Amino acid sequence: MTRFSFFLSTAFFLCSSLSVYSQVNISESDRLTCGTAILHNQRLAENPELQDLMDEQNTFAKEYANTHSSTSTNKAGVISYTIPVVYHIIHNNGPENISKAAIEASVANLNEDFQKLNLDLSQVIPSFTGITADVEIQFRLAHIDPTGNCTEGITRTVSTETYAMTENAKFLVNWNTTKYLNIWVGQTMASGSGGWSYYPGTAPSQNQEGIVVRSAQIENTITHEVGHCFGLLHTFQSGCGNNCSNSGDRVCDTPPVSASTQSCDINQNSCSNDANGPDPYGANVLDQIENYMSYNSCQNMFSLGQSDVMEFYLNSTSTSTGLAQYSTSTNLTNTGVANPYNPAICVPIADFTYNKEYVCEGGAVTFTDDSYNATPTLWNWTFTGGSPSTSGINNPIIIYPTAGVYSVTHRPGTSAGSANVTKSSIITVSSLTADYVGPILDGFESTTQFSNEWWINNSSGIAWENNTSASTTGSRSVRIRNWFTNTDGLVDDLISPSYDISTSATKTLTFKQAYAKKTSADTDKLLVYYSLDCGATWLLRLPLTAAVLSTASDQGGIFVPSASDWTTRTIDLTSIGTATNVRFKFEFTSGGGNDLYLDDINIGGSVGIDDFKNIASFNVYPNPTNSSAQISFNLIKDVKDLSIKVRNAIGQEVTNVINGQSFAQGKYTLKIDEERKLSSGVYFVEFNADNNVKIQKLIVQ
C-alpha cells in the first residue's frame, strides 16, 4: 500500500519556537506561531505559475511512491544520503556568536533525529511505534569551502542584521545551495519567529534556499526546518482534512490534527479519528504529537510516509526542486565530507574577545581566543601598553599600568599555518586622578571637549552626536537620531569624563532631557549608570522607560524640542558622595520612537545651569598645549565680578588670570601661562562670573 500522496505547497515558513531537539522540552513562553498561510498566499500572488510547479511535483511524488515506497522498519546503521552543511553565524560580538561546540551539538542532534537514534524514541505511543522512520540521512559539517580551502563548515560575519534577521542575511554570506545545506543563525528574527525555510524550489532565488534560525533555538528548531527543506509540511496543515489527498500534510500515516498545539497530551484526538474516517489505523487514532513536524513539546519521530517524501526529493534530479546533487560522490569529495571523514586541520581565522574595554590604571583585562575555522594550538599575542606586552597562551590576563588607548594583535596557529588580527584602540585605560574636581557644569558647547572627553560607545549603530538643532543654554546639545532607526534593541552609550565629587557641597547629578515617541507603542528607554572603576563595571541609578522618558506628545515627524519640551532629571549621589573618580553613562536602547536630546549636565553644582545664561561660551585652547593656552568667552550681558583661576589636580590655586574684575557684554580672548609658569600636568580652569562657576580641564605637556 502506498503510504503517501504528496501535494507540494509553496508556503514560506516563518516557523515557531519548536521543541524538535529530541532530548529537550522547551517552555511554552518560547513558542510562536508560523506565518504559513499568509506567506503562502503572498508567494502564489507574486508568482501564480508556482501552482503549475506544485501540480507537477504532486504527480511526480505519487509516481515515485508507487515504485519506491519504503518498507523499512529501518536498517540500523545504514546511511543512504550524506548532506554537507555550513552554519553561517551572523553576529555583533554578542551571545548570538555561538560556539563551535554548540554547532557540533546541533549537527549531532540532526543525525540522531534523522537516523532514529534519539534517546526519547521509547516515548512514542503504541499507535505509532511501528511507523517510526530511520530516514538514513547523515549531516556533516563541510571541510572544503566553495573556493577549495580548508574549513570547519562554520562562517562568522559581523552585522547588525543579527538583531532582526530577514532574507537579507542570506546575501551577507552564501555558499552554493545546490552543494551545501546553508543554515543562517542570528539573534532575533524580524518577524518575531524562531526561524524559517523554503520548500525545495520555491525560494525567490537559488541563493535563498536554506534555513534561517535564532541562535537561542539552535538545538530545538533545526530538525523541523530541515524537514521543510526536504519537502515536509506541518502535521496540522489544513486541520482535519484527508491526509491522503490534497489536504492535510498529504502523508497518510500522520493522522489529521485540527490545529497546532503545544501540549503533550498522549490521549489527544483532536479530529475524532476513527475507522470510518480517512485514516488507515482503525478506531480512535490519536494525534501524532510526537512528530517532528508538529508544534508539540515532545517530538521524537518522523513517520515512514514522511521518510518517503524526503527520499523523493533527495533522489530528484529536477533543476528546480531536486536535492540529489547533495549526495553525489563528486559533491561529497568536493565539499570534504566523503569517507574517511576526519577532523579538519585548517589555518585559523583569527579572532578574540576581552572581558573589559574600560579600566583604571593598574587594571587587568582577560583576553580569550575566539578563533574559528580551526582549533588553535599556538598563540602569539602583542599588547600595546600592556604588561606583559606579549603572551604565548590562549587566554592571557594583561595589566595596563598607564592611561591611554591601546590596540591588541592576536596570531593563532595550527600545524597548517597561522593568521593574525589587530583590533585598534579597544582598551581605554583611565587615570586614577579624575578629569574634573568640584562642581561640574557642561552644556556641550565645546565640540573639542566633547570629542576628547566624552566616550561614544556605538555598539549597535545609531551614535550620540553633538548638534545645534536644539539646546536649553547656548547653542548645542547631544542627541540620538532615533527617528531614522527601524530596528528595535540597538544600544548606544554616552560616557562622561571622570569627576571628583568628594568636595562638592551638593551631591546630585542633574541634566536636561527632551524626547517624543512616534506612536504610543514605542519602547525606547534611557538608563543612567555610574561607575567607580573607570567604566569596568556599572551600577544603574535612573531607568527612564518610554512612558516616563516622553517630554512631548507623540510626533510622527522628526522631533526637535522647543523650550517647553525639556525637563530636568535629578539623581541623588549621596551614596557615592565621597567618590574621587566617578563616571556616568547614558545608555539609550531603541524601541521605534523619535529623537532624544540631552543638555546641561550639572554634577555637584549648587547653582542651576540656567543661571549661566549670561555666558554663551567658555573655551580653553589649544588643549592639550605645550606652549601658551588661551581662554575665550562670550558674555551675553554685563558681569560685575569675573574671576578666572587655574587650579592643580588636587584643587590648589596655582595662578590667577582675572581677579574680581567687571566685564561688559561681548567676546573676549585672554592668554594664560604666557611665561611658561605651569609645569607639565593636569589643571582646571575655573571661570566664575558673578558667583556662577564653569570649569574646564587643561593639559600642559
Side-chain angles (χ1 to χ4, degrees), residues 108 164 166 178 227 349 375 447 529 534 546 548 618 678 680:
T166 65
T178 67
I349 296 176
T375 300
T447 56
Y529 299 81
C534 302
V548 179
F618 162 54
L678 300 180
S680 298

Side-chain angles (χ1 to χ4, degrees), residues 12 32 54 66 76 99 161 218-219 239 333 370 409 411 438 546 602 625 683:
F12 173 23
L32 306 170
M54 294 158 54
N66 288 330
S99 68
E161 173 74 16
I218 196 69
E219 292 183 341
T333 299
D370 201 25
T409 297
R411 299 180 184 86
N602 185 340
T625 182
Y683 298 88

Side-chain angles (χ1 to χ4, degrees), residues 272-388:
S272 299
N273 300 310
D274 57 44
N276 299 319
D279 236 288
Y281 297 106
N284 299 319
V285 174
L286 303 173
D287 291 356
Q288 201 172 93
I289 61 173
E290 301 93 337
N291 198 285
Y292 289 125
M293 303 312 294
S294 75
Y295 276 5
N296 304 89
S297 57
C298 46
Q299 296 91 333
N300 49 40
M301 64 165 284
F302 287 114
S303 73
L304 292 174
Q306 289 174 320
S307 178
D308 285 336
V309 173
M310 291 186 277
E311 182 181 346
F312 162 67
Y313 280 104
L314 289 168
N315 282 282
S316 174
T317 58
S318 166
T319 56
S320 60
T321 60
L323 304 178
Q325 186 172 346
Y326 279 153
S327 290
T328 65
S329 59
T330 298
N331 193 56
L332 299 184
T333 299
N334 290 342
T335 58
V337 300
N339 291 326
Y341 181 70
N342 298 312
I345 302 177
C346 308
V347 176
I349 296 176
D351 199 5
F352 64 91
T353 57
Y354 41 98
N355 69 331
K356 298 174 185 175
E357 56 184 319
Y358 303 112
V359 293
C360 295
E361 290 176 323
V365 179
T366 299
F367 294 87
T368 302
D369 172 66
D370 201 25
S371 303
Y372 62 100
N373 202 52
T375 300
T377 55
L378 303 169
W379 300 270
N380 183 4
W381 299 82
T382 301
F383 303 98
T384 305
S387 178

Side-chain angles (χ1 to χ4, degrees), residues 592-637:
N594 220 310
D595 294 356
L596 178 140
Y597 290 78
L598 299 179
D599 202 1
D600 296 347
I601 309 296
N602 185 340
I603 301 173
S606 58
V607 180
I609 202 163
D610 286 339
D611 295 333
F612 285 84
K613 291 182 178 179
N614 57 343
I615 306 170
S617 63
F618 162 54
N619 296 305
V620 180
Y621 63 93
N623 193 3
T625 182
N626 54 16
S627 60
S628 179
Q630 297 187 94
I631 301 172
S632 68
F633 54 94
N634 181 12
L635 301 179
I636 299 174
K637 61 182 181 180

Side-chain angles (χ1 to χ4, degrees), residues 383-414:
F383 303 98
T384 305
S387 178
S389 60
T390 62
S391 177
I393 63 175
N394 58 342
N395 301 325
I397 299 174
I398 305 300
I399 306 297
Y400 285 90
T402 306
V405 180
Y406 301 109
S407 303
V408 175
T409 297
H410 178 37
R411 299 180 184 86
T414 66

Side-chain angles (χ1 to χ4, degrees), residues 77-265:
V78 172
I79 299 297
S80 298
Y81 310 96
T82 297
I83 310 298
V85 183
V86 55
Y87 282 66
H88 302 297
I89 311 304
I90 312 300
H91 69 98
N92 198 29
N93 297 303
E96 72 280 357
N97 189 18
I98 57 176
S99 68
K100 174 184 173 182
I103 294 167
E104 290 176 335
S106 177
V107 175
N109 182 73
L110 278 174
N111 287 323
E112 290 175 1
D113 293 346
F114 281 82
Q115 297 171 37
K116 208 170 74 168
L117 297 174
N118 47 301
L119 296 179
D120 56 353
L121 187 66
S122 61
Q123 297 175 18
V124 174
I125 61 176
S127 297
F128 306 118
T129 54
I131 61 162
T132 58
D134 176 355
V135 193
E136 300 175 7
I137 299 175
Q138 70 177 351
F139 300 85
R140 287 178 169 177
L141 288 167
H143 283 177
I144 300 176
D145 73 12
T147 61
N149 293 318
C150 182
T151 181
E152 290 188 325
I154 303 168
T155 72
R156 298 184 189 272
T157 303
V158 176
S159 173
T160 55
E161 173 74 16
T162 191
Y163 299 119
M165 295 277 281
T166 65
E167 287 291 287
N168 292 334
K170 298 177 179 179
F171 298 99
L172 295 174
V173 56
N174 181 289
W175 290 8
N176 189 327
T177 60
T178 67
K179 299 180 179 180
Y180 304 86
L181 176 61
N182 285 244
I183 300 174
W184 291 268
V185 181
Q187 184 188 84
T188 308
M189 307 293 103
S191 64
S193 64
W196 69 85
S197 60
Y198 285 105
Y199 274 102
T202 65
S205 69
Q206 184 64 55
N207 287 341
Q208 290 171 266
E209 299 282 4
I211 295 166
V212 182
V213 66
R214 289 181 63 230
S215 57
Q217 295 176 221
I218 196 69
E219 292 183 341
N220 59 22
T221 301
I222 299 295
T223 297
H224 181 99
E225 296 301 339
V226 171
H228 287 320
C229 282
F230 292 174
L232 299 183
L233 291 96
H234 292 131
T235 54
F236 52 83
Q237 195 80 15
S238 301
C240 292
N242 185 336
N243 277 20
C244 292
S245 64
N246 292 337
S247 64
D249 70 348
R250 289 87 186 182
V251 178
C252 288
D253 61 6
T254 60
V257 180
S258 64
S260 63
T261 63
Q262 299 172 7
S263 72
C264 283
D265 180 3

